Amino acid sequence: MIGDGAGDAGTDPDDGDRDDEVFADLLAFVEDELSFATSHYNDSYLDRRISSRMRRTRNETYQEYFEHLRADADEQEALLEAMSINVTGFFRNPDVWSGIRTVLRKLSAKETTVRVWSAACADGREPYSLAMLARDDPKIDESSVYVLGTDISTPALETARNGVYEESRTVDFDEQLSFLDDYRRYVDVDGRTYRISDEIKRNVRFQRHDLINDDPKSGFDLVTCRNLFIYIDNAYKRPMLETIARSLRTDGYLVIGKAETIPPSLQSAFAVREARLRIYQREGRGTGGGAADRRPNSNSTS
């Protein structure tokens, strides 16, 4: 954290302790007053996000920023948005998407309705990737695949529902979408603006959901939750994964990030299907869950 140089020549050894106290008070304010569960995230991750906002607002110390935050509702919203994890992309890690294609083919071959939950979906590019993949593959009945995208960030969900993305200097949508042979069948491109077509949006819905605090869902055949757990404190990974497990049907699939693992205490609930790709399948024993109403508009996705 800022202030880790406490004890250097010319500094008060107590400065670092005071910084830590203010940092803790700041996090408590965010958790208690702004309802963001900071206690579930790694301190290093939270510090990076807060330090970024400090630079943007030109506050040099935690104390200065804390005072600014308490007095400025717009900054409170900006900090919450900064803390929400919005690292995403179309078809991120193409080898994983080849594995997801195989899973969707298997599900489509045996189920009349395939329900997919893209948890912590950020601005919606992963749910739309799922819908495009289903539409693009002749071995998948795209009319049977329904995708729910959820996230904690309201602004990110607004972008997701609009399905319009602006390319920047550091983001190459053409490269991301090149996983498909002809992505322009599903995306309208106007300069640097990429607009998801209505036929893709038709089977994709979005809603706010907090994996940490909200109840499990039910009846999903596939859950993707990728690159979230690397930011979460170890003590809270298990309850979040339990929420996901309870949301899956028996034999349903889970895909997590390539740098993530299932905690040992939950490994009995999941069988490894593709270890390198982090694709798992829910076992019949262990964490509760199970069959639910399989209609796409069921209240089980509410």
Side-chain angles (χ1 to χ4, degrees), residues 90-91 97 100-101 104 116-119 124-136 140 142 145-149 200 204 222-224 255:
F90 292 109
F91 299 103
W97 281 94
I100 292 173
R101 186 206 306 271
L104 285 176
V116 185
W117 178 17
S118 174
R125 280 178 268 174
E126 181 174 272
Y128 286 133
S129 295
L130 286 159
M132 283 188 278
L133 180 61
R135 185 82 177 182
D136 194 67
I140 301 171
E142 80 282 353
V145 178
Y146 294 85
V147 182
L148 174 66
I200 296 301
V204 182
L222 168 64
V223 175
T224 61
V255 184

Side-chain angles (χ1 to χ4, degrees), residues 130-268:
L130 286 159
M132 283 188 278
L133 180 61
R135 185 82 177 182
D136 194 67
D137 194 309
K139 296 184 179 180
I140 301 171
D141 178 7
E142 80 282 353
S143 66
S144 72
V145 178
Y146 294 85
V147 182
L148 174 66
T150 67
D151 200 83
I152 194 174
S153 168
T154 299
L157 290 171
E158 289 176 358
T159 299
R161 291 188 181 100
N162 289 333
V164 179
Y165 303 92
E166 298 291 337
E167 193 174 55
S168 68
R169 292 180 180 178
T170 59
V171 175
D172 187 342
F173 288 151
D174 181 76
E175 181 179 354
Q176 291 182 12
L177 289 161
S178 65
F179 179 81
L180 302 177
D181 291 336
D182 184 12
Y183 70 81
R184 290 179 183 249
R185 295 165 58 193
Y186 318 115
V187 182
D188 298 322
V189 181
D190 182 9
R192 290 185 171 271
T193 301
Y194 288 65
R195 187 183 304 272
I196 304 297
S197 68
D198 288 343
E199 67 175 353
I200 296 301
K201 294 171 72 174
R202 191 172 297 123
N203 283 7
V204 182
R205 295 192 303 116
F206 295 96
Q207 64 182 218
R208 190 181 186 281
H209 184 270
D210 182 347
L211 270 174
I212 294 171
N213 295 311
D214 291 345
D215 292 336
K217 298 185 177 297
S218 62
F220 282 94
D221 302 285
L222 168 64
V223 175
T224 61
C225 186
R226 303 172 62 212
N227 306 304
L228 169 66
F229 298 110
I230 55 176
Y231 303 104
I232 301 297
D233 190 86
N234 285 333
Y236 295 99
K237 290 178 182 178
R238 174 173 176 165
M240 293 172 71
L241 280 162
E242 286 178 341
T243 294
I244 290 174
R246 291 191 177 101
S247 303
L248 279 167
R249 297 175 66 243
T250 301
D251 297 330
Y253 291 86
L254 168 64
V255 184
I256 61 177
K258 293 182 73 174
E260 299 168 330
T261 57
I262 300 289
S265 58
L266 272 179
Q267 287 177 357
S268 63

Side-chain angles (χ1 to χ4, degrees), residues 269-297:
F270 293 97
V272 178
R273 291 294 173 250
E274 291 285 350
R276 184 179 62 84
L277 304 180
R278 299 297 192 267
I279 297 176
Y280 301 85
Q281 191 169 21
R282 186 176 171 277
E283 298 274 50
R285 62 185 183 277
T287 310
D293 185 344
R294 299 186 56 74
R295 293 171 294 175
N297 294 321

